[in-house]
Amino acid sequence: MLDLFRNRESSMRSLLVVLLSLIALSMVITLIPGFGSPSINPEDDQVLAVVGDHKVMARDIRGRIDELVRGQRLPPQLVSAYVPQLVDAEIEERAQALMSEMLGNQVSDDELARVIQGSLPSLFEGGAVDKARYREAVASMGKSVSQFEEDLRKNQLGLMIRNMAEESAIVSPADVEAEYRRRNVKLKVDYVAFSAEKLKSTIVPEESDLRALYNNGKEAYPIPEKRSFTAAILDETQMAAGIEVPEAELKAEYNRSRRDFETPERVRARHILVMTQGKPDSEKPALLKKAQDLLKQVKGGADFAELAKKNSDDTTSAVKGGDLDWFGRGRMVPQFESAVFSLKPGQVSDIVTTDYGYHIIRVEDKELAGVRPFEEVKNQLIINLRKARSMDLVQKTLTDARNEAVKNPGQIEAIAAKYKMQIAKADKLTPSGTLPELSQSADLVSAAFGTAQGGVTQIVQPVAGKHAFAVVTGIEKARVATFEEARDRIRDTFQQVKAQEVAERKAKEAAAQLLTPGADWKTIAKNMGAELKSSAEFSPDGSIDGLGGASMLGELLNKPVGASAGPISIVGQWAVVRIAERNEPDPAKLAAERATIQMNLKQKTSQARYGLIRDSILNTLIEKGKVKKNKRAIERLLASYTT
C-alpha cells in the first residue's frame, strides 16, 4: 500500500491518493493537532467565512472588485453578478490550500522566493532584490508584503491539488479521433427564434401586477447600508517635500556614501568581426587574410563605420557601423576586454583573436573610474534623506492627529488642517462606493463600515504613499426599498419574466408544428409572426449568427441533415432548429492535429477531475466543520452591490 502512495506508477493512482485522502479525512482531522474547528461570529459582518485559521474578509473582496473595475476587466454594471462568484472562489481556494496542507504539502521559503521572482521578475534583474522596491511594488497592488506572500503560498498549495488532477487525466486514440471529427465538422442550420427582449416592450403590466410582485418578494429590492464620514488623508510625498535638508547635512551624507556614487572605468567602441566560430580550420587562413585586408583599409583612412556595415559578421552592431555603445569591464570576453581597455580614444587595435573570430577595434571615447560629483547627485541625496526622515514623521503625525480626532471627532477638519492633511467627505456611501480623492479606497470604506457613528477608524493605507483615518458622521441602516423606490426595478423584472414566458410559449407552439414530418417551416414561421432564418457555416465551437454559441444546441450538433430540436433556450431566445447542411472533416488531416487535440483533451479532462476534487474538498471540510460561512455577512455584502 505504501508503494502505491509513494511511486504513483500511473496517473490513475495519483487520483486514487487524493480520493483516499478525502475519504480518510475524518481520521486526519481527528488525529492531527492544530486542525480544530474554526469559530465564527454571525454578527460580524466583516468576516464572510472562516477556513481553518484564516478569515475571508469583506474588505478583501471589495478590494479585488475595485481592482477589477479599475483595470477595466469587470464592467461596473456586472459587479453584482460577479460578487457571489468571487466570494465562492476565495473560499474554495482557501479550502484547497488547507486540504493541501493536511495532505502533507508545504511551500518552503526557497520555493516561495522562486515564485516571487517569477511574479515580479523586474525586481530581480541584478540578482538580489531591493527590499524597498519590493515593498513599493506590492503596495501598488493594494496589499501588504505579508498578505502578498500569504496569497502566493495559498496559490502554490492549491496548485499542488490541481497537479494531482492533471496527472490522472488519460486520453485514448479513440477520444482524439472523436474530438477531431467534432471540432472540424462544418454545419449550417435553419431556425425560427422568439426573442424575449423584443417581446419585452409588448408587456404592459397592471399596477396590481407590480404590487403583487413586490409584496411576494420585497427582499429582492434592498437598499444597502449607507455611511457618511469625513476622512483625513496624509500624502507621504507631500510631507517629504516639506522637509528641509541643510547643505551641510547633504555633503556629510555624500561623504558617508561616496561608494554609492562611484563610476567604473568604461569605453565606447566599434568593432568589425570576421567570424570563425563554427567554421572548419581549413577556412581560417582565408578569414584571417580578410581581417588583415580590412585592418589595412582602416589604417589607410577608410571609413570604419562603413567597413563595419558591409563586412562585420556581428549583425547586431554592423547595422550601427559596428557601434557597441558604452560598456565596462566584465562585459566582453577577456581577449577583447584586454585590447579595448588598453587603447586610447581614436586608436585602432591590431587583429584581436577570440573564440568568435578576428576583431578590429576602434575606441571612440573613454571614461576613467571616478566618483560622481556632489552637485550631480545632490537632488538624489535630498530625495533619499527626505524619504528616510519622513517615515518617522509620517507615523508620528498620523498617531497624533488620530488621537486628537478620538478626543474631538467633531473637529476633524481643523485637526486635518493643523497637520496638513487632506480632507475627503463621503455622503451616504455604500460599501462598494469610492472616494474620488483616492484611486483605491476599499480599505478606508471597509474601516468606516466597521466603526460606530461618531467613532474614528483605525489608520489604513488605502493606496501606496497615502494613509488615512475617518470619523463616521452618519449611518443609514440597510433596508428594503419602498414600492415607489423600487417601481422601475419591479417593472423591469416583471417585463423580463413575462417576456421569457411568452417567448417560451410561442416557441413551444411553433415546435409542435415545425417538428412534424414534412412541415413547411417558412410558412409556419410567417403565420406565427416570426421569420425562418438560415445560418452561415459554423463549427461546433463557434457561434451562430443571430443565435449565439453553437454549443447550446447540444446533441443536435451530432445529428444528420434534417434532424431538428426545440424549443431550445439560447441567450434570451427560444428557438426551434434543424440541421440544414453537414460537411465532415478529411480523416487524412488528423495526423497534423493529433498532438494538439490530445493536449487539449488532457487539459479538459484534468479540469473536469479537478472540479470534482475541488467540490469534494469543500464539501468534506464544511461537513467536518473546517469551513464555516457567515451567511448574514455574505448576504449583506451582496446587497451592498445591488442597485
Side-chain angles (χ1 to χ4, degrees):
M1 177 60 74
L2 287 176
D3 288 339
L4 173 64
F5 279 80
R6 291 173 180 166
N7 297 333
R8 299 186 180 185
E9 294 177 355
S10 70
S11 56
M12 286 304 294
R13 289 182 180 179
S14 298
L15 180 60
L16 182 60
V17 172
V18 178
L19 296 178
L20 287 177
S21 299
L22 289 173
I23 293 170
L25 183 59
S26 59
M27 295 172 58
V28 174
I29 293 171
T30 302
L31 297 177
I32 296 182
F35 283 107
S37 297
S39 61
I40 190 166
N41 178 6
E43 299 302 317
D44 189 343
D45 288 339
Q46 298 305 308
V47 180
L48 303 179
V50 177
V51 183
D53 295 329
H54 180 84
K55 294 180 179 179
V56 177
M57 305 297 293
R59 65 171 177 268
D60 297 331
I61 302 300
R62 292 195 187 102
R64 178 61 176 151
I65 289 172
D66 283 352
E67 179 185 342
L68 291 171
V69 172
R70 196 167 52 250
Q72 298 184 340
R73 288 177 287 167
L74 177 64
Q77 62 269 25
L78 296 182
V79 167
S80 60
Y82 188 72
V83 171
Q85 300 174 40
L86 198 59
V87 173
D88 289 343
E90 179 65 19
I91 294 173
E92 287 180 0
E93 288 174 8
R94 292 291 176 184
Q96 288 174 60
L98 176 60
M99 175 61 75
S100 191
E101 289 181 311
M102 287 180 168
L103 296 177
N105 294 323
Q106 57 182 336
V107 180
S108 67
D109 290 342
D110 288 343
E111 185 177 355
L112 178 62
R114 287 193 294 272
V115 175
I116 294 172
Q117 185 168 356
S119 302
L120 302 169
S122 62
L123 300 183
F124 292 80
E125 291 176 352
V129 64
D130 183 323
K131 292 184 178 180
R133 286 183 63 204
Y134 174 51
R135 286 194 296 270
E136 290 174 2
V138 172
S140 69
M141 304 176 197
K143 298 181 179 180
S144 65
V145 169
S146 60
Q147 182 184 7
F148 175 68
E149 293 181 356
E150 181 189 356
D151 286 346
L152 289 182
R153 285 186 187 274
K154 174 199 71 175
N155 293 341
Q156 286 301 109
L157 287 167
L159 186 60
M160 294 172 186
I161 297 290
R162 181 182 290 274
N163 289 341
M164 291 180 183
E166 289 180 355
E167 291 175 9
S168 72
I170 298 174
V171 177
S172 70
D175 294 333
V176 174
E177 292 170 10
E179 178 64 9
Y180 170 74
R181 290 193 299 271
R182 189 199 68 79
R183 284 187 183 189
N184 293 284
V185 66
K186 299 297 180 183
L187 302 150
K188 290 183 180 180
V189 296
D190 297 327
Y191 65 91
V192 178
F194 298 88
S195 168
E197 187 61 33
K198 291 180 179 179
L199 291 167
K200 185 177 174 182
S201 61
T202 68
I203 307 299
V204 182
E206 298 288 340
E207 180 77 4
S208 58
D209 294 329
L210 298 181
R211 290 193 176 276
L213 180 60
Y214 173 74
N215 291 329
N216 288 334
K218 294 181 180 181
E219 66 282 352
Y221 308 99
I223 291 180
E225 179 176 324
K226 298 175 183 178
R227 296 210 170 195
S228 299
F229 57 87
T230 300
I233 304 169
L234 186 147
D235 189 314
E236 290 180 7
T237 303
Q238 291 180 1
M239 174 161 282
I243 298 174
E244 294 295 332
V245 184
E247 185 88 356
E249 292 186 25
L250 290 172
K251 289 184 176 179
E253 179 63 22
Y254 175 74
N255 290 328
R256 280 195 299 270
S257 55
R258 285 175 66 91
R259 293 189 63 180
D260 294 339
F261 305 116
E262 291 178 353
T263 56
E265 181 183 12
R266 63 177 190 158
V267 297
R268 181 169 188 170
R270 298 179 186 271
H271 84 136
I272 299 170
L273 170 64
V274 178
M275 187 175 287
T276 60
Q277 189 180 53
K279 297 179 180 179
D281 291 343
S282 60
E283 294 183 16
K284 290 182 179 179
L287 295 172
L288 177 59
K289 178 67 168 55
K290 177 182 177 181
Q292 291 169 339
D293 289 343
L294 289 169
L295 178 60
K296 185 176 180 181
Q297 293 179 59
V298 170
K299 292 193 172 181
D303 188 313
F304 192 101
E306 287 301 316
L307 285 176
K309 287 180 181 179
K310 296 176 181 177
N311 298 280
S312 180
D313 292 327
D314 178 2
T315 55
T316 301
S317 67
V319 294
K320 299 181 290 183
D323 190 1
L324 296 169
D325 208 342
W326 288 96
F327 58 89
R329 292 185 180 275
R331 291 279 305 279
M332 304 297 181
V333 293
Q335 303 93 325
F336 192 100
E337 179 180 291
S338 177
V340 74
F341 279 95
S342 68
L343 298 171
K344 296 178 181 179
Q347 286 186 328
V348 177
S349 70
D350 290 327
I351 303 297
V352 177
T353 304
T354 70
D355 291 340
Y356 296 101
Y358 304 118
H359 305 258
I360 302 166
I361 308 168
R362 187 177 80 182
V363 171
E364 300 292 309
D365 202 354
K366 191 171 189 177
E367 290 182 355
L368 298 177
V371 179
R372 295 170 66 190
F374 172 75
E375 290 301 328
E376 186 179 316
V377 300
K378 181 178 178 180
N379 286 338
Q380 185 60 50
L381 286 168
I382 292 173
I383 292 171
N384 292 346
L385 287 176
R386 281 177 171 173
K387 186 174 182 180
R389 294 182 181 182
S390 69
M391 292 178 68
D392 291 337
L393 184 58
V394 164
Q395 190 57 50
K396 184 177 186 308
T397 300
L398 287 167
T399 301
D400 291 348
R402 184 182 181 278
N403 287 342
E404 288 191 30
V406 169
K407 294 176 182 177
N408 298 289
Q411 299 299 312
I412 180 64
E413 294 187 47
I415 294 168
K418 174 183 175 181
Y419 289 96
K420 297 180 180 180
M421 298 175 73
Q422 178 186 4
I423 281 291
K425 292 187 176 183
D427 183 32
K428 298 179 181 180
L429 202 68
T430 65
S432 60
T434 59
L435 289 175
E437 293 83 358
L438 294 169
S439 59
Q440 300 178 43
S441 54
D443 284 353
L444 181 59
V445 174
S446 179
F449 272 82
T451 303
Q453 183 162 344
V456 182
T457 70
Q458 294 299 315
I459 297 167
V460 298
Q461 186 175 7
V463 64
K466 292 189 177 183
H467 307 262
F469 62 84
V471 174
V472 177
T473 56
I475 298 176
E476 287 188 8
K477 291 294 185 181
R479 61 183 176 82
V480 173
T482 64
F483 176 78
E484 289 302 327
E485 288 173 328
R487 178 182 286 275
D488 290 343
R489 281 190 282 166
I490 298 167
R491 175 184 292 274
D492 187 67
T493 300
F494 184 88
Q495 289 178 316
Q496 285 182 354
V497 172
K498 291 301 179 181
Q500 283 284 356
E501 292 175 358
V502 172
E504 183 180 8
R505 185 180 70 249
K506 285 179 172 289
K508 287 180 177 179
E509 292 172 2
Q513 301 177 58
L514 295 170
L515 300 183
T516 303
D520 183 342
W521 280 48
K522 186 173 184 179
T523 300
I524 294 171
K526 184 177 180 180
N527 291 340
M528 296 201 66
E531 180 184 357
L532 175 64
K533 295 183 178 180
S534 298
S535 76
E537 190 174 71
F538 64 90
S539 64
D541 289 331
S543 61
I544 306 170
D545 294 340
L547 282 182
S551 62
M552 299 298 291
L553 299 186
E555 282 301 311
L556 184 60
L557 294 171
N558 300 320
K559 300 291 180 65
V561 172
S564 56
I568 301 171
S569 177
I570 307 177
V571 194
Q573 300 184 87
W574 287 89
V576 185
V577 186
R578 71 179 175 191
I579 304 296
E581 190 175 310
R582 184 181 192 90
N583 296 309
E584 298 292 344
D586 183 357
K589 295 181 180 179
L590 169 60
E593 297 185 36
R594 183 179 293 277
T596 300
I597 292 175
Q598 185 169 21
M599 179 184 68
N600 292 342
L601 281 179
K602 185 175 177 65
Q603 291 175 343
K604 185 177 179 180
T605 303
S606 66
Q607 287 173 359
R609 292 181 181 235
Y610 173 62
L612 292 174
I613 293 173
R614 184 183 60 208
D615 291 343
S616 297
I617 288 173
L618 184 60
N619 292 335
T620 302
L621 291 179
I622 290 175
E623 180 184 345
K624 299 300 178 182
K626 307 308 161 188
V627 173
K628 292 186 177 180
K629 297 182 180 181
N630 188 344
K631 185 178 179 181
R632 181 178 182 276
I634 294 174
E635 288 176 348
R636 183 171 176 179
L637 176 67
L638 299 183
S640 72
Y641 286 97
T642 303
T643 57

